[in-house]
Amino acid sequence: MAYPLFDLNGKAALVTGAARGLGKACALALAHAGADIALGLRDINSGEDVEEEIRAMGRNVLRLQMDVGQLDQINAAVTRAHHEFGRIDILVNNVGIAPANPAMDVTESDFDETINLNIKGNFFTAQAVGRIMKEQGGGNIINMSSQAGYIALDDESIYCMTKAAINHLTRNLASEWAKYNIRVNAVAPTFIETPGTKPWLDDPEFRKSVVDRIPLGRVGKPMEVAGAVVFLASEAASLITGEIMLIDGGWTLK
């Protein structure tokens, strides 16, 4: 009998936005499961602590300058990761921003920056890695979506729009690239305790409003998202593609 395999030994993963928050958690969790890790960083001078933790696990790790708002940096980083590791088996497309603006106050620059990072950057990163995965016979792409792709959040219209787009992009790439043995899935978290959400969750009134919407009665932790990423990247999920896995404590059930 063949049991599910969660082991990622011998695999190489690229995680974007890996310096902190969900990206950091995903990088550490994948390394803990056995993968070597390329850290895609908006500023290559960041992420030293993540690199040290991964090296302490006995994994190979590489820091890369990778602002996904710049196509040349995407291509250069993916090429370097491929050269160093000889393959890229896993991509975690984690970069995203969420500027809070009422829809009537959104500026063109706000709109363009959010679209550029949340959709364009993630698409072209998937494309660059997908080409490598096609040649090597397969791989796994996990996009970072959000419950915001399913629900309306006041003052977050552009962010919600981009995450809905990521959901459908995930399905489209999964369908188109299945013939190359490339699985494409997404995880869609609720509010998670990260440096990015701290300014909001530190407000007791806001935190209560969030927790009141979550049937499990609490906000999430980064490793609860990273655990789902490890599962989707592993052979235990070998028949799963085109799925958006909600990690929302039940928020969207209501």
Side-chain angles (χ1 to χ4, degrees), residues 56-241:
M57 296 180 197
R59 311 300 177 207
N60 295 317
V61 59
L62 177 68
R63 280 191 295 154
L64 300 168
Q65 176 61 43
M66 192 177 182
D67 178 350
V68 303
Q70 305 293 327
L71 188 56
D72 59 339
Q73 290 195 25
I74 291 173
N75 291 329
V78 170
T79 298
R80 173 96 188 280
H82 186 219
H83 175 76
E84 291 291 327
F85 294 146
R87 58 190 300 110
I88 302 176
D89 302 286
I90 301 156
L91 166 65
V92 181
N93 239 341
N94 170 66
V95 171
I97 59 171
N101 275 329
M104 289 190 180
D105 296 338
V106 171
T107 65
E108 184 178 14
S109 61
D110 290 336
F111 186 95
D112 289 348
E113 183 181 17
T114 308
I115 296 294
N116 190 43
L117 292 176
N118 293 15
I119 299 178
K120 181 180 177 181
N122 281 295
F123 173 81
F124 282 105
T125 301
Q127 182 193 68
V129 175
R131 287 168 173 164
I132 290 169
M133 290 179 173
K134 175 185 175 182
E135 294 303 315
Q136 71 190 19
N140 291 293
I141 296 173
I142 300 106
N143 294 321
M144 190 63 66
S145 181
S146 167
Q147 69 178 16
Y150 291 88
I151 61 174
L153 294 175
D154 291 348
D155 302 336
E156 296 278 5
S157 59
I158 308 307
Y159 177 71
C160 290
M161 178 183 71
T162 64
K163 291 306 182 179
I166 287 296
N167 290 347
H168 206 50
L169 175 64
T170 297
R171 298 183 188 101
N172 275 273
L173 294 182
S175 177
E176 186 173 337
W177 293 352
K179 59 182 174 284
Y180 306 129
N181 195 33
I182 299 172
R183 295 191 292 110
V184 186
N185 294 289
V187 292
T190 185
F191 285 89
I192 306 295
E193 301 272 11
T194 69
T197 60
K198 182 174 171 45
W200 287 273
L201 293 176
D202 278 353
D203 177 345
E205 184 177 346
F206 182 85
R207 178 181 283 268
K208 183 178 185 304
S209 73
V210 167
V211 171
D212 286 348
R213 294 290 303 273
I214 300 175
L216 286 182
R218 62 180 178 83
V219 296
K221 300 175 182 177
M223 280 299 172
E224 292 178 305
V225 179
V229 168
V230 171
F231 165 66
L232 290 171
S234 75
E235 287 302 306
S238 59
L239 198 58
I240 300 175
T241 196

Side-chain angles (χ1 to χ4, degrees), residues 12-76:
L14 168 61
V15 181
T16 66
R20 64 178 197 162
L22 292 177
K24 176 179 179 179
C26 290
L28 293 174
L30 290 167
H32 185 264
D36 295 326
I37 308 294
L39 303 171
L41 304 165
R42 190 168 192 175
D43 177 2
I44 198 170
N45 295 312
S46 65
E48 290 183 352
D49 59 326
V50 189
E51 179 183 20
E52 290 175 5
E53 287 188 62
I54 292 172
R55 287 199 189 283
M57 296 180 197
R59 311 300 177 207
N60 295 317
V61 59
L62 177 68
R63 280 191 295 154
L64 300 168
Q65 176 61 43
M66 192 177 182
D67 178 350
V68 303
Q70 305 293 327
L71 188 56
D72 59 339
Q73 290 195 25
I74 291 173
N75 291 329

Side-chain angles (χ1 to χ4, degrees), residues 147-148 150-151 213 215 246 248-254:
Q147 69 178 16
Y150 291 88
I151 61 174
R213 294 290 303 273
L246 280 156
D248 68 348
W251 181 311
T252 55
L253 294 174
K254 295 186 175 182

